[in-house]
């Protein structure tokens, strides 16, 4: 595929994805930026905010997560946050320019007992004029439809890595469990937000296979968050995973842009590990969304750069905050 032939595909092969990863850095970024400009304004960045509305005591054993019961970390355990506190955070984020608010809860599955509260949160966030997103663990088809009926815009459920590498990430659910939830979300008419984590110890082939899974879904995710592993001491992968090469991260951003041209490719966790120059290269590679506007993403172990630093970076790069079409 050449840069002038960019179109929406759902039949990517491993050979094709690996050929993109094998391009020279300059050629890969050139191709990614050319594709990016066919679908997006290259001088706009979407600002999203994520808040943990229920922290800790997750029964899963995900090796990267400080909220897992298997993690040996100091973490304040919290029940579902009051509606007033959630909306206060959303309002503050909107005032700073965030257009999407994601509420994340440390559940394996969304408990039916919390469904009505979640539906209320969705309605109140949308009443603020923000796009609503939820990250609540695995869903049933009926739960996905209930969230759609409440007006949910996006559901975040990351595949995190390739199917082959996934047993190294967690053993308490399967890769197919993740894909089943994504299918329920799509069938309910909710937009999919789905990406992965780099730096878990995966290979380049694993990164290619992860992107193939996403790009070959019946519909591409509308948002593709790419996380740079936050190495939390006391978590299995935080203690043991080898450090990721920055150029490998940027290359993955570029390949994601080429394979999913219409998706917002988002820099999520790990931006505190990145220099301004690295983030600028990620934007050049096709990233056009960040998690920001508040310091803490989910817990004290996963944080964003200071909001003023982000705005200063955007000023120096000559980019503006994205506003969704009305």
């Amino acid at each position: 595929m050449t840069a002038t032939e960019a179109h929406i595909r759902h039949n990517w092969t491993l050979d094709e994805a690996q050929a993109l990863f094998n391009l020279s850095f300059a050629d890969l970024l050139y191709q990614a930026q050319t594709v990016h400009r066919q679908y997006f304004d290259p001088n706009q960045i979407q600002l999203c905010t994520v808040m943990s509305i229920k922290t800790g005591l997750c029964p899963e054993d995900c090796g990267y997560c400080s909220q897992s019961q298997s993690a040996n970390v100091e973490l304040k355990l919290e029940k579902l946050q009051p509606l007033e506190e959630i909306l206060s955070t959303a309002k503050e984020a909107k005032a700073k320019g965030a257009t999407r608010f994601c509420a994340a809860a440390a559940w394996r599955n969304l408990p039916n007992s919390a469904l009505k509260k979640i539906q209320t949160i969705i309605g109140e966030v949308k009443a603020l004029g923000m796009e609503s997103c939820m990250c609540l663990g695995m869903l049933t088809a009926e739960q996905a439809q209930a969230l759609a009926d409440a007006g949910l815009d996006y559901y975040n459920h990351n595949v995190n890595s390739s199917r082959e590498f996934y047993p190294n990430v967690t053993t308490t659910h399967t890769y197919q469990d993740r894909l089943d939830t994504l299918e329920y979300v799509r069938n309910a008419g909710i937009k999919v937000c789905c990406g992965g984590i780099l730096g878990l110890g995966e290979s380049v082939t694993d990164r290619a296979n992860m992107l193939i899974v996403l790009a070959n879904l019946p519909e591409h995710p509308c948002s593709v968050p790419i996380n740079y592993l936050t190495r939390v001491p006391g978590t299995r992968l935080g203690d043991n995973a080898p450090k990721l090469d920055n150029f490998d991260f940027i290359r993955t951003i570029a390949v994601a842009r080429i394979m999913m041209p219409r998706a917002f490719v988002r820099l999520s966790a790990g931006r505190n590990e990145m220099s301004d120059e690295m983030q600028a290269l990620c934007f050049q590679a096709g990233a056009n969304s960040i998690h920001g506007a508040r310091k803490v993403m989910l817990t004290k172990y996963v944080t964003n750069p200071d909001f003023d630093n982000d705005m200063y970076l955007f000023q120096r790069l000559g980019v503006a905050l994205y506003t969704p079409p009305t």
Side-chain angles (χ1 to χ4, degrees), residues 7-276:
H7 59 282
I8 308 303
R9 293 179 50 192
H10 303 271
N11 60 347
W12 287 91
T13 68
L14 180 58
D15 285 345
E16 290 174 315
Q18 288 181 320
L20 291 174
F21 274 100
N22 289 335
L23 288 172
S24 74
F25 190 71
D27 287 346
L28 177 59
L29 261 62
Y30 174 77
Q31 184 165 321
Q33 180 62 201
T34 303
V35 171
H36 184 60
R37 287 171 179 265
Q38 294 180 24
Y39 293 91
F40 291 99
D41 183 333
N43 297 312
Q44 289 188 345
I45 302 291
Q46 178 194 57
L47 179 59
C48 305
T49 291
V50 61
M51 174 189 183
S52 176
I53 62 172
K54 184 269 175 185
T55 302
L57 287 179
C58 180
E60 302 276 42
D61 68 353
C62 301
Y64 58 85
C65 184
S66 62
Q67 301 196 66
S68 167
Q69 283 193 342
S70 66
N72 182 23
V73 301
E74 293 183 5
L75 191 66
K76 182 180 178 182
L77 308 178
E78 298 175 343
K79 297 180 179 180
L80 190 64
Q81 293 292 306
L83 177 62
E84 294 76 14
E85 186 168 340
I86 296 170
L87 293 181
S88 175
T89 301
K91 290 175 183 176
E92 180 182 355
K94 182 183 179 183
K96 291 180 176 179
T99 57
R100 186 180 304 173
F101 181 79
C102 183
W107 287 316
R108 183 180 191 275
N109 307 78
L110 168 61
N112 282 322
S113 59
L115 185 55
K116 287 194 178 298
K117 291 181 179 178
I118 295 298
Q119 289 175 310
T120 298
I121 294 169
I122 293 168
E124 294 291 337
V125 168
K126 289 178 68 67
L128 297 176
M130 301 185 78
E131 294 177 330
S132 59
C133 179
M134 289 283 164
C135 178
L136 311 170
M138 290 178 282
L139 302 176
T140 64
E142 293 75 18
Q143 288 173 330
Q145 189 58 57
L147 296 179
D149 293 343
L152 183 65
D153 297 302
Y154 295 86
Y155 194 79
N156 170 251
H157 199 60
N158 293 333
V159 296
N160 289 329
S161 191
S162 69
R163 186 187 293 270
E164 295 76 12
F165 188 78
Y166 205 64
N168 297 290
V169 179
T170 183
T171 64
T172 46
H173 65 265
T174 67
Y175 206 75
Q176 189 59 46
D177 289 333
R178 310 293 283 189
L179 298 180
D180 288 346
T181 288
L182 295 179
E183 182 179 5
Y184 301 148
V185 167
R186 283 195 310 274
N187 290 346
I190 300 169
K191 299 181 183 71
V192 168
C193 173
C194 184
I197 306 172
L198 305 188
L200 301 170
E202 77 285 348
S203 66
V204 175
T205 299
D206 288 315
R207 294 171 201 143
N209 276 324
M210 178 188 75
L211 295 180
I212 288 170
V213 166
L214 299 178
N216 288 354
L217 289 171
E219 298 177 25
H220 290 170
C222 294
S223 299
V224 180
I226 304 295
N227 298 273
Y228 188 109
L229 177 66
T230 300
R231 301 165 63 86
V232 179
T235 59
R236 175 169 49 83
L237 293 173
D239 289 338
N240 298 306
K243 184 169 176 56
L244 177 69
D245 182 89
N246 290 342
F247 288 110
D248 287 340
F249 185 90
I250 300 165
R251 282 181 176 277
T252 307
I253 293 288
V255 177
R257 167 53 63 216
I258 293 167
M259 294 174 66
M260 291 170 281
R262 289 181 180 160
F264 279 91
V265 178
R266 180 176 305 128
L267 302 184
S268 290
R271 286 201 302 119
N272 268 334
E273 305 290 327
M274 305 178 194
S275 66
D276 286 352

